[in-house]
Amino acid sequence: EVQLVESGGGLVQPGGSLRLSCAASGFTFSSYAMSWVRQSPGKGFEWVSYTSRGGGTTYYADSVKGRFTISRDDAKNMLYLQMNSLKTEDTSVYYCATRGPYYSWWLANPDDFKYWGQGTLVIVSS
């Protein structure tokens, strides 16, 4: 059974940091590109970041560039999102997802992905 399980969300003050984790199982994680996608309250899905197989290529949405860092540990089947300098507008449910070994890095909707996690809620508020 394929599973993507996100964790690490919570309540943080503006300017603070969080590290999200995504534990993958049931497929050959190292062979797959991976993405982080978020959905803010009352809004659609927004692509956040993408990492290629092996992590050699990464992309970020302009809204998070310079503040967020995506990484992966293929030995542990783990995907991470380090989020620094958090803003209130970063409040969202964050999902990890994948479509396969290669795919367009900007994909954001659940229907675009083969595997999709249950999400972890990040609230940025004072």
Side-chain angles (χ1 to χ4, degrees), residues 67-86:
R67 300 187 297 121
F68 289 11
T69 302
I70 190 171
S71 63
R72 62 190 299 161
D73 185 338
D74 288 345
K76 297 181 179 179
N77 289 351
M78 294 293 295
L79 178 72
Y80 303 101
L81 186 68
Q82 177 67 43
M83 306 188 297
N84 299 329
S85 303
L86 282 161

Side-chain angles (χ1 to χ4, degrees), residues 53-102:
R53 301 187 312 166
T57 300
T58 58
Y59 295 107
Y60 298 92
D62 287 343
S63 58
V64 308
K65 196 173 296 181
R67 300 187 297 121
F68 289 11
T69 302
I70 190 171
S71 63
R72 62 190 299 161
D73 185 338
D74 288 345
K76 297 181 179 179
N77 289 351
M78 294 293 295
L79 178 72
Y80 303 101
L81 186 68
Q82 177 67 43
M83 306 188 297
N84 299 329
S85 303
L86 282 161
K87 305 176 181 180
T88 55
E89 52 263 43
D90 294 319
T91 295
S92 296
V93 177
Y94 285 75
Y95 301 91
C96 65
T98 182
R99 181 179 172 89
Y102 306 99

Side-chain angles (χ1 to χ4, degrees), residues 19-65:
R19 188 196 196 201
L20 304 184
S21 299
C22 171
S25 61
F27 66 103
T28 308
F29 177 76
S30 61
S31 296
Y32 281 68
M34 296 295 299
S35 299
W36 286 99
V37 175
R38 68 186 181 185
Q39 185 178 29
S40 303
K43 297 184 179 180
F45 293 95
E46 177 189 13
W47 167 72
V48 174
S49 185
Y50 165 100
T51 178
S52 63
R53 301 187 312 166
T57 300
T58 58
Y59 295 107
Y60 298 92
D62 287 343
S63 58
V64 308
K65 196 173 296 181

